[in-house]
Amino acid sequence: MSITVRFFASVRERVGKEREAIDCAGISNVADVWRQSTRVAMPDNLLAAINMEYARPDQPVRDGDEVAFFPPVTGGAP
Amino acid sequence: MTVRLLAEAFDPWREIVHHQEAQSALAGKFGATTVFVGTLRDFNQDRAVRAMTLEHYAPMTQKHLERVAAEASSRWPIADLLVIHRYGELSPNDPIVCVAVWAERREAAFAACRYVIDELKTRAPFWKQEQTPQGRRWVAPEPKAE
């Protein structure tokens, strides 16, 4: 019964970890996952995804989900 | 419709020729081809850039690039679309991204090409880290183009 949490780019460096599994007890949404995993406040410009779809902080998470946190994206080219 | 993510340097012009030759169904069916190629500069925001690391969230990147490409295919009458995006270590002058669109007419080819490059910049989970003489820095997103 766990949720896989992943961190990318500057968010990964800030929280000091890349991936972990957390117990889903007491966790109902994306913001709960962030709090449980990092113990720090959510940055304003943080983006999140559940199972590779962009998600809002209040979006529900379920056992087995992969929840990712990352900064605004900078792909492509000028 | 093809979306590829590459860890190694690529030649977009060669890829376009190969793609077009391999798609035999395309022959005779298109009158317009548009291409966008984005290349790494050796400067950005008043700093020299020695190298860049392009990090991404692999399966999510593939999924969202494919979705953007599918949206372009459904919005405009196009015959084919090729998207190639680099990740990993890049040097100045390395192509970063290539979007090519084949269509019967140029309006659809231009519009679909522009749509794909504009949308992927804000939706595909890539992050650029530049290596400059002053050290490494994460690149902040640019303001959305008008």
Side-chain angles (χ1 to χ4, degrees), chain A residues 9 12 52-54 66 74, chain B residues 55 57 64 67 123 126:
Chain A
R12 182 191 67 244
M52 298 172 212
E53 294 294 343
Y54 287 98
E66 177 168 292
T74 55
Chain B
E55 180 176 337
Y57 180 7
H64 286 257
R67 188 176 295 165
R123 291 164 59 183
F126 285 104

Side-chain angles (χ1 to χ4, degrees), chain B residues 34-98:
Chain B
T34 52
V35 174
F36 175 85
V37 174
T39 302
L40 183 61
R41 290 167 300 183
D42 65 2
F43 65 95
N44 187 29
Q45 298 166 354
D46 302 328
R47 279 200 205 174
V49 174
R50 290 174 172 163
M52 186 174 82
T53 303
L54 197 47
E55 180 176 337
H56 75 133
Y57 180 7
M60 182 167 173
T61 311
Q62 183 79 30
K63 182 178 190 175
H64 286 257
L65 290 180
E66 285 175 0
R67 188 176 295 165
V68 168
E71 287 167 6
S73 298
S74 66
R75 287 179 67 160
W76 291 281
I78 63 175
D80 202 5
L81 195 156
L82 171 67
V83 182
I84 302 175
H85 206 301
R86 275 293 316 277
Y87 64 93
E89 306 297 318
L90 288 94
S91 300
N93 214 41
D94 281 353
I96 304 168
V97 58
C98 161

Side-chain angles (χ1 to χ4, degrees), chain A residues 12-37:
Chain A
R12 182 191 67 244
E13 291 180 349
R14 193 183 311 181
V15 305
K17 51 190 167 187
E18 188 172 334
R19 172 198 282 263
E20 70 177 349
I22 61 168
D23 193 324
C24 54
I27 287 182
S28 62
N29 60 29
V30 169
D32 293 338
V33 173
W34 173 267
R35 268 191 296 273
Q36 172 86 4
S37 188

